[in-house]
């Protein structure tokens, strides 16, 4: 089997073409049957028009092979680093597809992964929606997207993918296989928190999550000072100036996000509760991020902010034999700039914190259909 | 070329395939009814937004069709016609059940199978012409169908994943690429098909799987091997072409002309009784099965005189009757017949006729013949004794005899100074006597195509000679033959065709059913049969002459086309293949002597095929390059911008003015950046570009609906740019506030 390197970038595994294959379906079988029938009919009837039709049928096979073969010889595909996915939501995998042919266009090409497997595990995604390229002119390239719904959290190993096309006549599917090892992080499912949960976990200042901590360009009043040249006339506090007898200008607060520390304490939860806890933790982190609250995750020291925290949740493994120290729960502790006490979301009360209730049993870690 | 129109293409293919069937099976009614229902079904389903009839109903209808077809097959003969009619029924049901790409695929497949069925039924010119239209449309439909089906699959995948389906490629851009693929596919396909057509071996395996076409489907000639006088009605004037004839002189050059008539001899009728002429049971009949004809496919009659000039008839019969005997048309006297393919034959050496068993296909053959008047065996005439002469004349006497006809014949000879008594008349005067009778009939009787019944109980020939006075060629021939017999000259009626319609371009004659004719052969000397035609020659020419109206001329062109089609395509067989592929003459001659198989010049064949491929590939490549040059370069990343709508046309106008002023915006530079770049050198222009671009951006990418005021403001900006370009600089009044209306409009919408 010949291997052919189709692209190479420093520090990134290149896509390697590993082979070609052909697959015939019902239409191909029907065409073959028709061709044989035409040949027999021509010989049996000695009908010269049928001889010509038989020639056309054979020509169809040849032309199909030439067009699709020449087209796929110039097909170059490179998988781009896939953005993280989430269990239960369509994830996107992008490919850069190029047509290196000088004359032959590529039509109706499908790009699809051969398998979505979690490391050392079974398949972890539902049937993917392959990427589709309707037309790629000679010399052109484009970026296309394939969609897939992950059914399991974790790091999915992506290996081989393939480009296939039945063009021009749909008789035979011609397939070109590529290998480009890479990983795809699948984060826990996105669960919608109830309003009550959101209000509890997001620390609130006078205007929501913003907490004044010093002078700045915020909206809240901070203090007064003497007018200096260059100050905006709009900032002059006219009444205090009148009282003071000199021009005074208003100073405003500087907005600074609150911080919370999130900790998931599985406390001997079973596998299903563990997944639910991870999904709820991820949802809490996302809710905080959407409210402008900075988060840190207990156990994550990647310094990558919420992206790193969600990736850590994607890779989290349940420690075997851990002793329960209480009911499984998520603890949100206030950090710098956040007032109030810590919040605890118990998994046993998941129906209280999740809009629509907890997911169906097995929904967060299921076999793909 | 738009893949969304594939369903319509499927309808077109369906209609074309029905037309093919109608032409091939001579069933225009079926095709017309199919058209009406198909178009009706299409209109109905289109109005219902592509929703078809319920699947269960469609399935039930197809099942009923299948049951009906099986029932017909059990009660009648299974053939291609039945198969085609079943396909038409299914097509009509599927047109009403047209929802998804799969249904369109089924319609395409049905159309292809119906076209194949039609081709099986007939290889005629019009079937070929329709097939030539059908094939490119079919290839186009199949190519576009692949895109159509892929779009549907992409939409299904996207729906499953809960995402938006990818947008289709713009039709114009798509069409150019598809056109190139279509042209290449068609050109390559035709070349390969032509090669397969030429080199596929012919002749072997015929009817190995039984006969698929009913004999009734084949057209036969209107020629009959008997003459029945006394019927009423009109002579058949059908212009159906029966055969093509090329006459070659002894040097092999084609000869002929509009004034030259050739007689094609078919059946020889020697028995007369009650107005009916029929063939005599042959005494010297030779059966020759097809397999025993010999390698050179030639049959030789005895008696060839090498001293006399011989001519050649090259004849292509448009079709032969299926599984029925038919007379081969020859010249008089035939010496040698060479066939393009072997059929079972029966030769009657006494009258020199040939009967073949037809197979429904065209037949090409050549006949070497010598004019009868020259055909006298040396010394035989002198050597004949009076006894032999008497016996010959006695054998010629008609039975039963007709006193009325004998009286007329005797009177004619008396008036010509020839002794009517054969015993008293010299043998050398028989020719004169026959000519006198011929002249009598030509000069004293009229010609008509209207047939009338004779008086009840009267012999038709007597009635013609004594009462009626007018008749058609069979009456003339019958009258002369019987008159000759009454005066002791052995004579017989011959039926066949006269070739009168000569084409200068092809140097050949076209013979139609209306050219059927009857004449007489009389034994004017021992072993010397000479042709006499008592039909008045003027009348004969008038009946068989070719008028020169526009329609007739068009008809002749079509006939010539059909003739070329039959000769080159339909009649292409093993001998034509050997000629085309370079079987050398000496090989054929050796093969004719049975020395060896005919050889094929492999080098010549290979060279020809190679040259064809190179020429076609060259043409395809040039075409491809030309199309590549005219096609616009594709966007580098596959992104295709949507065309700018009419209401935003101020933006391209602005870009055009910038180009004219030498300030062309580079393709990748956004217009606002371009405005800032030129601000240093062209502040006024920069201001206008900035304002107009912001309005354009708001509508194009902000999704805002522009008010008429905003559009007018943008156009005022463009006009200002134009005036700057034409004047060299803007007026001082406008420079301080370049676009008041535009500014107002934009500020109003809070853009700035």
């Amino acid at each position: 089997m010949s291997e052919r390197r189709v692209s190479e970038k420093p520090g990134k595994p290149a896509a390697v073409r590993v082979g070609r294959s052909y697959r015939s379906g019902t239409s191909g079988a029907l065409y073959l049957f028709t061709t044989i029938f035409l040949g027999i009919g021509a010989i049996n009837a000695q009908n010269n028009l049928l001889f010509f039709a038989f020639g056309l049928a054979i020509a169809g096979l040849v032309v199909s092979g030439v067009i699709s073969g020449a087209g796929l010889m110039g097909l170059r595909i490179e998988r781009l680093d896939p953005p993280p996915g989430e269990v239960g939501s369509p994830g996107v995998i992008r490919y850069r597809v190029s047509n290196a042919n000088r004359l032959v266009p590529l039509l109706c090409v499908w790009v699809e992964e051969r398998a979505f497997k979690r490391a050392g595990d079974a398949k972890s995604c539902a049937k993917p929606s392959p990427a589709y390229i309707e037309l790629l002119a000679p010399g052109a390239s484009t970026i296309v997207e394939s969609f897939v719904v992950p059914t399991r959290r974790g790091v999915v190993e992506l290996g081989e993918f393939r480009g296939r096309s039945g063009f021009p006549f749909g008789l035979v599917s011609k397939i070109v296989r590529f290998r480009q090892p890479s990983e795809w992080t699948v984060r826990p499912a996105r669960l919608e928190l109830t309003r009550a949960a959101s209000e509890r976990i997001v620390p609130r200042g006078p205007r929501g999550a913003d907490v004044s901590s010093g002078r700045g360009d915020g909206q809240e009043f901070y203090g007064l000072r003497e007018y200096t040249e260059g100050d905006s006339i709009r900032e002059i506090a006219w009444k205090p100036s009148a009282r003071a007898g000199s021009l005074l200008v208003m100073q405003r607060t500087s907005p600074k996000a609150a911080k919370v520390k999130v900790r998931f304490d599985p406390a001997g939860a079973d596998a299903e509760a563990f997944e639910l806890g991870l999904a709820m933790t991820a949802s809490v982190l996302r809710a905080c991020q959407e409210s402008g609250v900075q988060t840190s995750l207990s156990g994550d020291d990647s310094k990558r902010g919420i992206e790193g925290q969600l990736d850590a949740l994607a890779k989290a493994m349940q420690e075997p034999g851990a002793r329960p120290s209480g009911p499984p729960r998520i603890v949100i502790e206030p950090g710098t700039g956040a007032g109030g006490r810590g919040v605890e979301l118990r998994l046993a009360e998941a129906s209280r914190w999740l809009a629509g209730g907890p997911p169906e049993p097995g929904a967060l870690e299921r076999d793909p259909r | 070329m738009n893949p969304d129109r594939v369903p319509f293409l499927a309808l077109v293919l369906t209609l074309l395939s029905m037309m093919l069937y109608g032409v091939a099976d001579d069933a225009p009614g079926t095709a017309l009814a199919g058209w009406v229902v198909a178009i009706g079904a299409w209109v109905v389903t289109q109005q219902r937004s592509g929703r078809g009839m319920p699947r269960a109903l469609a399935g039930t209808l197809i099942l009923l069709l299948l049951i009906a077809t099986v029932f017909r097959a059990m009660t009648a003969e299974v053939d291609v016609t039945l198969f085609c009619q079943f396909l038409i029924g299914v097509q009509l049901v599927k047109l009403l059940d047209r929802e998804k790409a799969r249904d369109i695929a089924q319609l395409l497949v049905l159309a292809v199978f119906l076209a194949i069925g039609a081709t099986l039924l007939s290889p005629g010119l019009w079937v070929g012409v329709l097939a030539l239209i059908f094939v490119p449309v079919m290839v186009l439909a199949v190519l576009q169908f692949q895109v159509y089906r892929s779009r549907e699959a992409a939409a299904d995948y996207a729906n499953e994943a809960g995402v938006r389906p990818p947008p289709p490629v713009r039709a114009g851009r798509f069409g150019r690429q598809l056109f190139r693929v279509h042209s290449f596919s068609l050109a390559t396909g035709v070349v390969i098909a032509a090669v397969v057509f030429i080199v596929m071996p012919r002749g072997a395996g015929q009817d190995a799987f039984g006969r698929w076409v009913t004999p009734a489907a084949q057209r036969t000639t209107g020629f009959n091997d008997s003459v029945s006088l006394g019927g009423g009605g009109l002579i058949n004037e059908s212009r159906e072409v029966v055969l093509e004839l090329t006459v070659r002189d002894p040097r092999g050059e084609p000869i002929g002309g509009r004034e030259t008539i050739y007689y094609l001899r078919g059946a020889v009728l020697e028995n007369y009784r009650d107005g009916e002429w029929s063939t005599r049971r042959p005494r010297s009949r030779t059966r020759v099965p097809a397999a025993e004809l010999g390698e050179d496919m030639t049959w030789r009659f005895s008696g060839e005189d090498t001293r006399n000039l011989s001519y050649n008839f090259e004849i292509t019969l448009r079709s032969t009757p299926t599984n029925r005997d038919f007379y081969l048309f020859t010249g008089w006297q035939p010496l040698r017949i060479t066939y393009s393919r072997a059929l079972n034959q029966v030769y009657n050496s006494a009258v020199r006729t040939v009967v073949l068993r037809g197979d429904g296909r065209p037949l090409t053959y050549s006949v070497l013949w010598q004019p009868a008047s020259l055909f006298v065996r040396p010394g035989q005439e002198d050597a004949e004794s009076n006894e032999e002469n008497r016996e010959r004349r006695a054998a010629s006497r008609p039975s039963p005899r007709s006193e009325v006809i004998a009286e007329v014949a005797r009177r004619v000879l008396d008036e010509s100074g020839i002794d009517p008594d054969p015993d008293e008349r010299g043998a050398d005067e028989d020719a004169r006597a026959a000519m006198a009778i011929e002249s009598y009939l030509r000069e004293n009787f009229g010609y008509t195509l209207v047939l009338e019944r004779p008086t009840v109980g009267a012999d038709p020939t007597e009635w013609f000679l004594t009462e009626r006075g007018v008749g058609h060629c069979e009456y003339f021939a019958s009258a002369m033959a019987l008159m000759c017999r009454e005066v002791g000259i052995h004579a017989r009626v011959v039926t066949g065709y006269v070739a009168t319609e000569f084409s200068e371009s092809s140097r050949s004659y076209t013979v139609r059913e209306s050219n059927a004719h009857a004449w007489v052969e009389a034994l004017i000397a021992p072993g010397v049969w000479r042709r006499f035609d008592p039909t008045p020659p003027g009348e004969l020419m008038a009946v068989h002459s070719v008028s020169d109206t526009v329609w007739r001329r068009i008809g002749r062109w079509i006939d010539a086309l059909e003739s070329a089609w039959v000769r080159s395509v339909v009649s292409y067989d093993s001998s034509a293949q050997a000629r085309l592929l370079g079987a050398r003459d000496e090989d054929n001659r050796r093969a004719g002597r049975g020395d060896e198989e005919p050889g094929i010049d492999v080098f010549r064949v290979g060279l020809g095929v190679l040259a064809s491929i190179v020429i076609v590939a060259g043409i395809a490549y040039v075409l491809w390059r030309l199309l590549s040059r005219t096609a616009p370069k594709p966007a580098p990343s596959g992104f295709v911008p949507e065309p700018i709508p009419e209401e935003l046309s101020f933006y391209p106008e602005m870009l055009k003015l910038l180009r004219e002023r030498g300030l062309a915006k580079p393709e990748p530079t956004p217009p606002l950046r371009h405005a800032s770049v030129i601000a240093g050198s062209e502040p006024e222009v920069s201001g206008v570009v900035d304002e107009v671009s912001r309005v354009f951006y708001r509508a194009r990418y902000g999704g805002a609906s522009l008010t008429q005021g905003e559009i007018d403001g943008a156009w005022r900006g463009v006009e200002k740019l134009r005036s700057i370009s034409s004047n060299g600089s803007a007026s001082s009044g406008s420079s301080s506030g370049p676009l008041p209306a535009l500014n107002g409009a934009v500020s109003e919408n809070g853009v700035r």
Side-chain angles (χ1 to χ4, degrees):
Chain A
M1 184 167 52
S2 65
E3 294 198 351
R4 192 160 152 196
R5 195 169 287 264
V6 294
S7 78
E8 194 168 3
K9 287 183 181 175
K12 185 180 175 191
V16 176
R17 194 150 74 183
V18 292
R20 284 163 51 141
S21 55
Y22 298 87
R23 196 176 61 196
S24 176
T26 315
S27 54
L30 181 66
Y31 188 87
L32 202 62
F33 165 77
T34 307
T35 305
I36 293 169
F37 172 79
L38 276 174
I40 292 173
I43 291 168
N44 191 64
Q46 290 291 306
N47 180 325
N48 282 332
L49 270 190
L50 275 190
F51 277 111
F52 195 81
F54 177 59
L56 277 179
I58 290 176
L61 290 171
V62 175
V63 169
S64 169
V66 168
I67 290 181
S68 61
L72 289 185
M73 273 176 73
L75 177 66
R76 308 280 185 271
I77 310 177
E78 179 191 7
R79 187 197 297 120
L80 305 178
D81 287 333
E86 292 171 357
V87 171
S89 302
V92 61
I93 298 175
R94 294 190 175 87
Y95 305 88
R96 177 178 289 116
V97 184
S98 311
N99 182 2
N101 291 306
R102 293 183 61 194
L103 291 173
V104 185
L106 283 169
L107 288 117
C108 303
V109 179
W110 297 88
V111 182
E112 58 196 358
E113 293 291 329
R114 292 204 72 186
F116 289 87
K117 287 188 175 179
R118 197 161 61 177
D121 204 344
K123 283 173 71 177
S124 61
C125 294
K127 188 180 171 190
S129 163
Y132 173 58
I133 306 117
E134 190 159 293
L135 168 67
L136 199 58
S141 69
T142 187
I143 292 176
V144 290
E145 296 176 333
S146 160
F147 295 94
V148 60
V149 180
T151 57
R152 288 193 171 105
R153 170 188 62 84
V155 177
V156 177
E157 292 177 351
L158 300 177
E160 276 194 13
F161 59 91
R162 62 189 180 187
R164 68 174 163 87
S165 175
F167 198 82
F169 302 135
L171 309 178
V172 179
S173 258
K174 277 74 67 175
I175 299 164
V176 182
R177 298 197 311 278
F178 297 86
R179 190 168 59 223
Q180 184 183 13
S182 60
E183 292 182 342
W184 183 39
T185 305
V186 178
R187 294 167 175 173
R190 182 182 287 263
L191 303 176
E192 191 185 348
L193 297 177
T194 58
R195 179 184 286 268
S198 299
E199 286 173 353
R200 286 193 66 182
I201 61 176
V202 177
R204 299 273 158 178
R207 289 176 64 89
D210 293 349
V211 179
S212 55
S213 58
R215 283 179 299 163
D217 299 326
Q219 297 296 316
E220 303 302 320
F221 177 74
Y222 180 77
L224 296 170
R225 64 166 174 78
E226 287 288 326
Y227 174 80
T228 58
E229 195 175 348
D231 282 338
S232 168
I233 295 172
R234 285 178 146 192
E235 295 299 313
I236 294 174
W238 294 105
K239 284 183 181 175
S241 297
R243 281 197 296 270
S246 62
L247 284 176
L248 299 173
V249 292
M250 281 188 287
Q251 287 182 296
R252 299 186 184 275
T253 59
S254 166
K256 193 169 182 181
K259 287 184 178 175
V260 294
K261 186 171 184 179
V262 181
R263 176 165 55 87
F264 172 47
D265 184 4
D270 59 13
E272 195 170 320
F274 183 73
E275 292 300 325
L276 176 61
L278 288 175
M280 283 180 64
T281 306
S283 301
V284 166
L285 291 171
R286 290 184 190 113
C288 289
Q289 186 207 25
E290 285 161 11
S291 302
V293 176
Q294 291 184 357
T295 56
S296 64
L297 180 68
S298 175
D300 171 50
D301 51 0
S302 65
K303 310 287 185 192
R304 283 176 51 218
I306 189 166
E307 297 297 320
Q309 294 154 21
L310 291 172
D311 285 351
L313 289 176
K315 297 169 187 171
M317 302 288 283
Q318 195 170 12
E319 291 179 21
R323 286 197 305 171
S325 59
R329 61 196 170 163
I330 298 157
V331 179
I332 302 117
E333 296 167 348
T336 315
R341 296 181 293 110
V343 178
E344 185 178 285
L345 303 180
R346 294 192 177 184
L347 265 56
E349 300 169 346
S351 56
R352 190 178 156 197
W353 310 123
L354 295 174
E360 292 288 318
L364 301 176
E365 179 78 0
R366 60 182 169 81
D367 291 330
R369 278 178 295 146
Chain B
M1 292 190 184
N2 185 353
D4 290 335
R5 292 186 191 147
V6 167
F8 178 71
L9 274 180
L11 172 71
V12 171
L13 272 182
T14 303
L15 298 179
L16 267 176
S17 63
M18 286 176 181
M19 193 191 285
L20 258 168
Y21 167 73
V23 171
D25 205 15
D26 203 11
T30 309
L32 194 65
W35 268 54
V36 171
V37 178
I39 293 171
W42 175 266
V43 171
V44 167
T45 48
Q46 280 295 102
Q47 285 179 346
R48 295 182 62 201
S49 306
R51 286 182 59 202
M53 70 162 73
R55 273 284 145 88
L57 182 58
T60 308
L61 284 175
I62 292 173
L63 188 67
L64 287 174
L65 273 171
L66 187 65
I67 291 169
T69 305
V70 169
F71 180 75
R72 281 180 62 191
M74 288 168 66
T75 53
E77 195 173 354
V78 184
D79 60 8
V80 179
T81 299
L82 194 60
F83 171 71
C84 289
Q85 287 169 353
F86 170 69
L87 287 182
I88 290 175
V90 178
Q91 276 181 324
L92 297 178
V93 175
K94 289 307 296 180
L95 274 170
L96 284 164
D97 174 30
R98 173 170 65 78
E99 287 180 2
K100 297 184 76 81
R102 191 188 59 182
D103 303 315
I104 302 297
Q106 288 169 357
L107 274 175
L108 296 180
V109 170
L110 285 168
V112 169
F113 272 89
L114 185 56
I116 292 171
T119 311
L120 262 169
L121 283 168
S122 166
L125 171 68
W126 297 114
V127 174
V129 168
L130 284 173
L132 286 178
I133 298 170
F134 182 86
V135 169
V137 179
M138 180 196 70
V139 174
L140 182 65
V142 171
L143 288 176
Q144 296 202 23
F145 173 75
Q146 297 307 316
V147 184
Y148 182 82
R149 187 177 66 171
S150 298
R151 275 185 189 172
E152 186 182 275
D156 288 347
Y157 279 130
N159 285 339
E160 275 183 27
V163 297
R164 278 197 312 170
V169 176
R170 193 157 47 87
R173 183 164 168 260
F174 196 91
R176 279 186 288 274
Q177 299 292 347
L178 209 60
F179 176 72
R180 292 165 66 181
V181 175
H182 181 247
S183 306
F184 173 77
S185 305
L186 213 56
T188 314
V190 168
V191 169
I192 293 174
V195 170
V196 169
F197 174 83
I198 290 168
V199 302
M200 273 284 282
R202 300 299 204 280
Q206 185 172 10
D207 293 338
F209 294 90
R211 189 169 288 274
W212 294 356
V213 182
T214 51
Q218 299 293 335
R219 194 175 65 209
T220 58
T221 68
F223 170 79
N224 284 317
D225 58 356
S226 66
V227 164
S228 182
L229 302 172
L234 280 167
I235 289 283
N236 180 13
E237 290 187 273
S238 167
R239 294 193 56 77
E240 200 77 57
V241 176
V242 177
L243 57 89
E244 278 86 31
L245 165 72
T246 304
V247 186
R248 294 189 185 276
D249 66 12
R251 291 171 300 166
E253 297 295 323
I255 55 172
R258 295 199 172 184
E259 304 301 322
T260 312
I261 295 176
Y262 286 93
Y263 287 78
L264 291 166
R265 186 171 180 269
V268 175
L269 314 177
E270 295 179 292
N271 288 346
Y272 179 80
R273 184 174 292 275
D274 298 332
E276 288 198 7
W277 283 92
S278 59
T279 54
R280 180 181 289 172
R281 186 177 178 80
R283 288 166 297 180
S284 49
R285 196 169 58 171
T286 309
R287 287 187 177 277
V288 181
E292 296 176 12
L293 189 60
E295 293 291 337
D296 60 352
M297 304 272 188
T298 300
W299 173 262
R300 290 176 178 80
F301 290 97
S302 61
E304 180 175 358
D305 187 346
T306 53
R307 291 179 309 173
N308 290 329
L309 296 175
S310 52
Y311 294 79
N312 206 18
F313 278 173
E314 288 175 4
I315 295 172
T316 300
L317 283 173
R318 286 284 175 90
S319 66
T320 58
T322 306
N323 281 341
R324 282 200 286 120
D325 291 340
F326 69 98
Y327 276 89
L328 210 64
F329 302 107
T330 66
W332 181 248
Q333 297 192 24
L335 305 175
R336 198 164 66 205
I337 302 174
T338 304
Y339 303 95
S340 61
R341 69 173 196 282
L343 295 169
N344 292 331
Q345 303 126 66
V346 177
Y347 296 94
N348 186 342
S349 57
V351 292
R352 296 193 176 231
T353 57
V354 187
V355 174
L356 301 185
R357 173 52 63 98
D359 60 359
R361 296 174 51 212
L363 177 70
T364 301
Y365 61 96
S366 64
V367 182
L368 190 74
W369 58 279
Q370 285 180 325
S373 56
L374 302 174
F375 193 79
V376 181
R377 277 177 288 179
Q380 186 171 350
E381 192 176 3
D382 299 335
E384 189 180 40
S385 65
N386 287 335
E387 188 64 25
E388 286 172 333
N389 199 20
R390 271 196 296 277
E391 285 177 7
R392 174 168 64 83
R393 285 173 171 167
S396 70
R397 294 292 165 97
S399 176
R401 297 193 60 178
S402 165
E403 280 306 322
V404 175
I405 296 173
E407 177 58 34
V408 175
R410 281 196 290 270
R411 179 163 50 84
V412 169
L413 293 192
D414 281 339
E415 289 173 0
S416 302
I418 302 168
D419 194 337
D421 186 354
D423 296 331
E424 301 299 324
R425 188 177 66 232
D428 56 336
E429 284 199 297
D430 281 0
R432 276 189 62 222
M435 287 172 69
I437 294 171
E438 180 190 52
S439 299
Y440 169 74
L441 290 170
R442 281 180 173 184
E443 291 163 7
N444 296 287
F445 289 82
Y447 187 87
T448 181
L449 290 172
V450 181
L451 307 180
E452 283 188 16
R453 292 182 185 282
T455 313
V456 177
D459 178 84
T461 309
E462 291 180 4
W463 172 73
F464 167 71
L465 281 173
T466 57
E467 291 182 38
R468 173 71 172 154
V470 291
H472 53 79
C473 57
E474 290 176 351
Y475 279 100
F476 282 93
S478 175
M480 180 173 174
L482 292 181
M483 284 170 74
C484 285
R485 288 185 178 186
E486 290 296 344
V487 293
I489 302 170
H490 196 12
R492 58 200 183 194
V493 171
V494 178
T495 55
Y497 290 97
V498 281
T500 58
E501 192 176 328
F502 184 72
S503 165
E504 293 289 350
S505 56
S506 63
R507 309 287 297 162
S508 64
Y509 289 88
T510 300
V511 178
R512 305 172 188 276
E513 285 187 14
S514 58
N515 293 132
H517 190 47
W519 59 93
V520 173
E521 284 176 357
L523 189 66
I524 55 170
V528 182
W529 287 90
R530 185 177 167 188
R531 185 187 63 236
F532 294 90
D533 190 348
T535 306
E539 304 280 0
L540 180 71
M541 286 304 290
V543 169
H544 295 285
S545 66
V546 184
S547 63
D548 213 24
T549 62
V550 174
W551 291 115
R552 280 290 164 89
R553 247 182 281 169
I554 293 172
R556 281 206 299 277
W557 290 337
I558 293 173
D559 288 336
L561 193 66
E562 197 165 2
S563 168
W565 174 264
V566 170
R567 283 167 188 255
S568 56
V569 177
V570 181
S571 300
Y572 183 80
D573 52 20
S574 51
S575 59
Q577 191 176 41
R579 281 197 301 274
L580 187 67
L581 299 185
R584 294 179 294 272
D585 288 346
E586 57 268 31
D587 292 336
N588 289 335
R589 277 198 293 272
R590 279 203 297 275
R593 291 195 299 269
D595 296 343
E596 58 184 58
E597 292 291 315
I600 288 176
D601 190 338
V602 176
F603 178 72
R604 247 178 84 183
V605 174
L607 205 64
V609 170
L610 196 67
S612 307
I613 291 172
V614 167
I615 290 168
V616 172
I619 293 169
Y621 180 75
V622 170
L623 197 66
W624 191 289
R625 294 300 295 178
L626 285 175
L627 288 169
S628 306
R629 210 170 286 170
T630 53
K633 287 187 178 174
S637 63
F639 169 71
V640 183
E642 288 292 318
I644 293 174
E646 182 61 31
E647 63 170 9
L648 301 182
S649 54
F650 54 81
Y651 180 73
E653 185 65 21
M654 180 193 76
L655 295 180
K656 182 182 149 201
L657 290 172
L658 283 176
R659 277 196 301 277
E660 288 171 3
R661 196 171 168 76
L663 298 171
K665 182 181 82 64
E667 192 68 32
T669 306
L672 291 178
R673 184 176 296 170
H674 187 60
S676 66
V677 168
I678 62 175
S681 57
E682 299 266 6
E684 279 180 284
V685 174
S686 169
V688 173
V689 171
D690 185 278
E691 298 295 347
V692 174
S693 301
R694 283 177 192 279
V695 177
F696 175 70
Y697 265 43
R698 252 174 43 71
R700 176 80 164 168
Y701 304 113
S705 300
L706 295 182
T707 63
Q708 193 56 44
E710 288 172 316
I711 294 171
D712 292 345
W715 274 111
R716 272 194 291 277
V718 172
E719 290 307 316
K720 180 177 172 56
L721 190 60
R722 198 190 306 279
S723 69
I724 292 171
S725 299
S726 57
N727 298 333
S729 66
S731 65
S732 59
S734 60
S735 61
S736 57
L739 300 166
L742 176 61
N743 285 339
V746 173
S747 302
E748 192 178 59
N749 288 278
V751 172
R752 300 186 67 202

